[in-house]
Amino acid sequence: MPDISKLSKEQAAKELERLAKEIAKSDEAYYQHDDPYLTDAEYDKLKHLNEAIENKYPDLVRSDSPSKRVGAPVKSDFKKITHKVPMLSLADIFSEEELADFVKGVQKFLNTEEDIEFTAEPKMDGLSFSARYEDGILVSGATRGDGKIGEDITDNLRVIKGLPHKVEAADFPQVMEMRGEVYMSKADFFALNEKNKEENKKPFANPRNAAAGSLRQLDAGITKERKLSLLVYTWGEVSKVSWKSQSEFLEKVKGWGFPVNPYNRLCHNLSEIIESYESLLNNRADLAYDIDGIVYKVNSLELQARLGFLTRTPRWAVAHKFPAEQAVTRIENIRVQVGRTGALTPVADLEPINVGGVVVSHATLHNEDEIKRKDIRIGDYVVIQRAGDVIPQVVSVVLEKRSPGLKEYEFPKTCPECGAHAIREEDEAVRRCTGGLSCPAQAIERIKHFVSREAFNIEGLGSKIVEEFFNEGILQNPADIFTLEERNGGYEDDLFSANQGIHLENREGWGKKSADNLFKAIRSRQQISLPRFIYALGIRQVGAATSLLIAKNYGSFSNFMEKMRIGDTEKLVSIDGIGEAMSKDITEFFKEEHNLRIIAKLLNYVKVEDFEDTTDYNSPLSGKTVVFTGTLEKMTRAEAKAKALSLGAKVVGSVSGSTDYVIMGSSAGSKAQKAQDLGVKILSEEDFLSLIG
Ligand code: IVH
């Protein structure tokens, strides 16, 4: 941190201006695009610096100062909801000392020396929501936004499992706003990122961003596909408060059928609070979701009322943040891995180190620009961070510890696996090996992809086995899988046949049964659907959804292949959802001689089913663009969408001038308004049903 005492007033004003801009930019990336570029620690540093300068020069505090904001202004695409009771933030503390000060401060304010009860609640690392019930019915939902105005996420909240749509308990207040946190479990986060990776989409940085990105979707259908969870921990507007304490509220909430964190505790004095902090900190890594600290709240509502609020935070609660899960260690080596499509990914091998209870020995370095930007060198000491992230990251280099003579890292220009040129295309962050399938790393990854669940789904051919088979020469490419059985059983000295020495049943841990099972699994896949087959080819950027689009539009593999072979892309580029870059990757794939050779071989063994298009092109919805909004009564949104698709409609998420119909369920939000503004025809659920007969 620069020495603030040396800052002239003029410099301070300049610095505050810079910080306001920088923090606003980072806030926008974090809150509105769910795509942060600063680490939490980097961000906190900027905030602290801003605060320190403002403390020294209070008259320089800007009207757009970051210290005056909570969260971010609402994204404009959503309808806005004004919170009847503002959604506040909490002051942060970082040490046991500050905790003791907080508890003492509360006692002093209340003019008592007696112990005060506090709840200790895990601080969920997600995003807060407010769900409003009237007469027991969920009527609307909102994000926090800037604390006063949030985004209308009613449709999105409705599809999250666990949030009751209706509460019938007799003591449930007539107006009741439930507030809590929407989050994504670590397991669901990993699964989502796996899927994103397969589909060549950018993975989310951590579960919090994944949750935010999934909740703030204009199309609630997408929210539903992502697995989100939520917990309730406080309330907003309530017609009649019938509980006397926070712990009583949490009990009631549970009884009404809302999810409440089972780790919430009631503490009777400071030492119990410290105990709960330590036990939670120790269990942190084992929890199914990320927490970034613990929230203490004065239990009694009467005392809370006496304590009241500061400008943006209550005086009766505080957030005790966990130390960032960071540690310093040395980079022993930088390795470059080669993926299925030839992408080179640098990985740091680390001197193993314990970061927040987990031993870390590798960290991702993302790509060559990242290494350059942070100037990471082999032998450097670096700060490692394990946020909610799956893969630990290198935050920064500890320059003071750099030994003299460490050379700048030079990213390889050739593939470390096969030696082929590795090139970087314009606008691309990744460098790729040009070796194609002659590169063993790419060949192995290709086979793994081919047998994976959404592709041929061949049980018994897991990653490890594929690697072994490849390295032993048993499998060189996907087509070899289908000749495995006929090649099995040869003799070591049978020099003239191709089945030299393959005896799967004799492998360690195998036996006749496992070999037979594998052959059986392979045989059962010799007939396959068109989308699976296209997906299995492993064309860059072509995930399962794109494969389905291609299958739909081309009908048969021979038709698709023929068009690609002669370079006829007219249809391809006209498919909604296939852009220019993807279409280029597809045509390039079919220009490669070795790809054509493998496909030809595959087709000797595999029958690819034609895609049966069951779409009714004579229906009144055929060719129409439709949008669903609100809650439907007679069917789920997914059913309605599937029906519309089968009738030849194009279903999209947002209303525009080219929308033909908006089908409106109950409590429809901004989309209905927009349709009206644009003069798009609005159909009720009944209208929709009678239209489609
Ligand atoms: S209470 C007036 N309880 O932390 C008090 N907040 O820094 C309002 N959070 O915006 C919040 N777990 O997103 C409360 N058990 C918990 C919480 C919690 C996570 C988040 C919430 C809030 C932020 C405040």
Short mmCIF file of all heavy atoms in Angstrom, two decimals, residues 142-170:
data_model
loop_
_atom_site.label_atom_id
_atom_site.label_comp_id
_atom_site.label_asym_id
_atom_site.label_seq_id
_atom_site.Cartn_x
_atom_site.Cartn_y
_atom_site.Cartn_z
N ALA A 142 -36.67 -11.12 -5.42
CA ALA A 142 -35.73 -10.12 -5.91
C ALA A 142 -34.32 -10.41 -5.42
O ALA A 142 -34.12 -11.09 -4.42
CB ALA A 142 -36.15 -8.74 -5.43
N THR A 143 -33.35 -9.88 -6.16
CA THR A 143 -31.96 -9.90 -5.69
C THR A 143 -31.76 -8.69 -4.79
O THR A 143 -32.63 -7.83 -4.70
CB THR A 143 -30.97 -9.77 -6.85
OG1 THR A 143 -31.20 -8.50 -7.49
CG2 THR A 143 -31.12 -10.89 -7.84
N ARG A 144 -30.61 -8.58 -4.17
CA ARG A 144 -30.36 -7.44 -3.32
C ARG A 144 -30.17 -6.16 -4.13
O ARG A 144 -30.60 -5.09 -3.73
CB ARG A 144 -29.12 -7.68 -2.46
CG ARG A 144 -28.83 -6.48 -1.59
CD ARG A 144 -27.81 -6.76 -0.54
NE ARG A 144 -26.46 -6.83 -1.10
CZ ARG A 144 -25.36 -6.90 -0.37
NH1 ARG A 144 -25.46 -6.95 0.93
NH2 ARG A 144 -24.19 -6.96 -0.94
N GLY A 145 -29.50 -6.29 -5.30
CA GLY A 145 -29.19 -5.10 -6.08
C GLY A 145 -28.35 -4.15 -5.27
O GLY A 145 -27.36 -4.55 -4.66
N ASP A 146 -28.73 -2.88 -5.22
CA ASP A 146 -27.94 -1.93 -4.43
C ASP A 146 -28.45 -1.83 -3.00
O ASP A 146 -28.08 -0.92 -2.26
CB ASP A 146 -27.92 -0.55 -5.10
CG ASP A 146 -29.31 0.08 -5.14
OD1 ASP A 146 -30.27 -0.55 -4.65
OD2 ASP A 146 -29.43 1.19 -5.67
N GLY A 147 -29.32 -2.75 -2.61
CA GLY A 147 -29.84 -2.74 -1.25
C GLY A 147 -31.22 -2.09 -1.16
O GLY A 147 -32.02 -2.44 -0.31
N LYS A 148 -31.47 -1.17 -2.10
CA LYS A 148 -32.78 -0.50 -2.11
C LYS A 148 -33.63 -1.04 -3.25
O LYS A 148 -34.83 -1.26 -3.11
CB LYS A 148 -32.60 1.01 -2.31
CG LYS A 148 -31.91 1.68 -1.16
CD LYS A 148 -31.95 3.21 -1.35
CE LYS A 148 -30.96 3.89 -0.44
NZ LYS A 148 -29.73 4.32 -1.13
N ILE A 149 -33.02 -1.22 -4.40
CA ILE A 149 -33.74 -1.72 -5.57
C ILE A 149 -33.02 -2.97 -6.07
O ILE A 149 -31.80 -2.95 -6.27
CB ILE A 149 -33.77 -0.66 -6.69
CG1 ILE A 149 -34.48 0.59 -6.19
CG2 ILE A 149 -34.47 -1.22 -7.92
CD1 ILE A 149 -34.46 1.73 -7.18
N GLY A 150 -33.78 -4.03 -6.24
CA GLY A 150 -33.18 -5.28 -6.71
C GLY A 150 -33.78 -5.69 -8.05
O GLY A 150 -34.64 -5.01 -8.61
N GLU A 151 -33.30 -6.80 -8.57
CA GLU A 151 -33.82 -7.32 -9.83
C GLU A 151 -34.95 -8.29 -9.55
O GLU A 151 -34.89 -9.06 -8.60
CB GLU A 151 -32.72 -8.09 -10.56
CG GLU A 151 -31.55 -7.24 -10.95
CD GLU A 151 -30.28 -8.06 -11.16
OE1 GLU A 151 -30.22 -9.21 -10.68
OE2 GLU A 151 -29.36 -7.56 -11.79
N ASP A 152 -35.94 -8.24 -10.41
CA ASP A 152 -37.08 -9.15 -10.26
C ASP A 152 -36.67 -10.54 -10.76
O ASP A 152 -36.49 -10.76 -11.96
CB ASP A 152 -38.25 -8.62 -11.10
CG ASP A 152 -39.49 -9.50 -10.94
OD1 ASP A 152 -39.35 -10.65 -10.48
OD2 ASP A 152 -40.58 -9.02 -11.28
N ILE A 153 -36.51 -11.47 -9.83
CA ILE A 153 -36.10 -12.82 -10.22
C ILE A 153 -37.17 -13.83 -9.79
O ILE A 153 -36.87 -14.98 -9.48
CB ILE A 153 -34.73 -13.20 -9.61
CG1 ILE A 153 -34.71 -12.88 -8.11
CG2 ILE A 153 -33.59 -12.50 -10.32
CD1 ILE A 153 -33.69 -13.67 -7.34
N THR A 154 -38.43 -13.37 -9.80
CA THR A 154 -39.53 -14.23 -9.35
C THR A 154 -39.53 -15.59 -10.07
O THR A 154 -39.55 -16.65 -9.43
CB THR A 154 -40.87 -13.52 -9.61
OG1 THR A 154 -40.78 -12.19 -9.13
CG2 THR A 154 -42.00 -14.26 -8.93
N ASP A 155 -39.46 -15.55 -11.39
CA ASP A 155 -39.52 -16.80 -12.16
C ASP A 155 -38.34 -17.71 -11.82
O ASP A 155 -38.46 -18.92 -11.75
CB ASP A 155 -39.48 -16.52 -13.67
CG ASP A 155 -40.77 -15.84 -14.13
OD1 ASP A 155 -41.75 -15.89 -13.36
OD2 ASP A 155 -40.77 -15.28 -15.23
N ASN A 156 -37.19 -17.08 -11.62
CA ASN A 156 -35.98 -17.85 -11.35
C ASN A 156 -36.04 -18.51 -9.98
O ASN A 156 -35.64 -19.65 -9.81
CB ASN A 156 -34.75 -16.95 -11.44
CG ASN A 156 -34.77 -16.09 -12.69
OD1 ASN A 156 -35.61 -15.21 -12.81
ND2 ASN A 156 -33.90 -16.36 -13.62
N LEU A 157 -36.54 -17.76 -8.99
CA LEU A 157 -36.63 -18.32 -7.64
C LEU A 157 -37.59 -19.51 -7.60
O LEU A 157 -37.36 -20.48 -6.90
CB LEU A 157 -37.11 -17.26 -6.65
CG LEU A 157 -36.06 -16.33 -6.05
CD1 LEU A 157 -36.71 -15.42 -5.04
CD2 LEU A 157 -34.93 -17.12 -5.40
N ARG A 158 -38.64 -19.39 -8.38
CA ARG A 158 -39.65 -20.45 -8.37
C ARG A 158 -39.10 -21.82 -8.78
O ARG A 158 -39.66 -22.84 -8.41
CB ARG A 158 -40.76 -20.12 -9.38
CG ARG A 158 -41.84 -19.24 -8.83
CD ARG A 158 -42.89 -19.09 -9.92
NE ARG A 158 -43.56 -17.83 -9.81
CZ ARG A 158 -44.51 -17.58 -8.92
NH1 ARG A 158 -44.88 -18.52 -8.10
NH2 ARG A 158 -45.06 -16.40 -8.87
N VAL A 159 -38.06 -21.83 -9.60
CA VAL A 159 -37.56 -23.12 -10.08
C VAL A 159 -36.45 -23.67 -9.18
O VAL A 159 -35.87 -24.70 -9.49
CB VAL A 159 -37.08 -23.03 -11.55
CG1 VAL A 159 -38.23 -22.67 -12.46
CG2 VAL A 159 -35.94 -22.01 -11.70
N ILE A 160 -36.16 -22.98 -8.08
CA ILE A 160 -35.14 -23.50 -7.18
C ILE A 160 -35.78 -24.44 -6.18
O ILE A 160 -36.75 -24.07 -5.50
CB ILE A 160 -34.40 -22.37 -6.45
CG1 ILE A 160 -33.72 -21.49 -7.49
CG2 ILE A 160 -33.37 -22.94 -5.47
CD1 ILE A 160 -32.96 -20.34 -6.90
N LYS A 161 -35.24 -25.65 -6.14
CA LYS A 161 -35.81 -26.66 -5.24
C LYS A 161 -35.68 -26.19 -3.79
O LYS A 161 -34.68 -25.61 -3.40
CB LYS A 161 -35.02 -27.97 -5.40
CG LYS A 161 -35.64 -28.90 -6.39
CD LYS A 161 -35.80 -30.25 -5.79
CE LYS A 161 -34.99 -31.36 -6.22
NZ LYS A 161 -34.04 -31.93 -6.79
N GLY A 162 -36.71 -26.44 -3.01
CA GLY A 162 -36.60 -26.12 -1.59
C GLY A 162 -37.37 -24.88 -1.19
O GLY A 162 -37.71 -24.71 -0.03
N LEU A 163 -37.63 -23.99 -2.16
CA LEU A 163 -38.38 -22.79 -1.79
C LEU A 163 -39.88 -23.07 -1.97
O LEU A 163 -40.34 -23.26 -3.09
CB LEU A 163 -37.97 -21.60 -2.66
CG LEU A 163 -38.61 -20.27 -2.23
CD1 LEU A 163 -38.00 -19.78 -0.93
CD2 LEU A 163 -38.48 -19.21 -3.30
N PRO A 164 -40.64 -23.10 -0.87
CA PRO A 164 -42.07 -23.40 -1.00
C PRO A 164 -42.79 -22.34 -1.84
O PRO A 164 -42.46 -21.15 -1.72
CB PRO A 164 -42.58 -23.36 0.45
CG PRO A 164 -41.38 -23.46 1.31
CD PRO A 164 -40.23 -22.91 0.53
N HIS A 165 -43.71 -22.78 -2.67
CA HIS A 165 -44.51 -21.82 -3.45
C HIS A 165 -45.75 -21.42 -2.65
O HIS A 165 -46.41 -20.45 -2.97
CB HIS A 165 -44.94 -22.44 -4.79
CG HIS A 165 -43.79 -22.65 -5.72
ND1 HIS A 165 -43.93 -22.97 -7.05
CD2 HIS A 165 -42.44 -22.58 -5.50
CE1 HIS A 165 -42.74 -23.09 -7.61
NE2 HIS A 165 -41.82 -22.87 -6.69
N LYS A 166 -46.03 -22.24 -1.65
CA LYS A 166 -47.23 -22.00 -0.87
C LYS A 166 -46.97 -22.48 0.55
O LYS A 166 -46.40 -23.55 0.75
CB LYS A 166 -48.35 -22.85 -1.48
CG LYS A 166 -49.73 -22.47 -1.06
CD LYS A 166 -50.74 -23.24 -1.90
CE LYS A 166 -52.12 -22.99 -1.38
NZ LYS A 166 -53.08 -23.85 -2.03
N VAL A 167 -47.36 -21.66 1.53
CA VAL A 167 -47.18 -22.07 2.93
C VAL A 167 -48.54 -22.03 3.60
O VAL A 167 -49.25 -21.02 3.50
CB VAL A 167 -46.22 -21.11 3.67
CG1 VAL A 167 -45.98 -21.60 5.10
CG2 VAL A 167 -44.90 -20.99 2.92
N GLU A 168 -48.92 -23.14 4.22
CA GLU A 168 -50.27 -23.17 4.77
C GLU A 168 -50.33 -23.03 6.29
O GLU A 168 -51.42 -22.98 6.85
CB GLU A 168 -50.98 -24.45 4.30
CG GLU A 168 -51.33 -24.32 2.82
CD GLU A 168 -51.98 -25.53 2.23
OE1 GLU A 168 -52.09 -26.55 2.95
OE2 GLU A 168 -52.39 -25.47 1.06
N ALA A 169 -49.16 -22.93 6.94
CA ALA A 169 -49.15 -22.87 8.41
C ALA A 169 -50.02 -21.72 8.92
O ALA A 169 -50.02 -20.62 8.35
CB ALA A 169 -47.72 -22.67 8.89
N ALA A 170 -50.75 -21.98 10.00
CA ALA A 170 -51.69 -21.00 10.53
C ALA A 170 -50.98 -19.74 11.03
O ALA A 170 -51.50 -18.64 10.93
CB ALA A 170 -52.50 -21.63 11.66
#
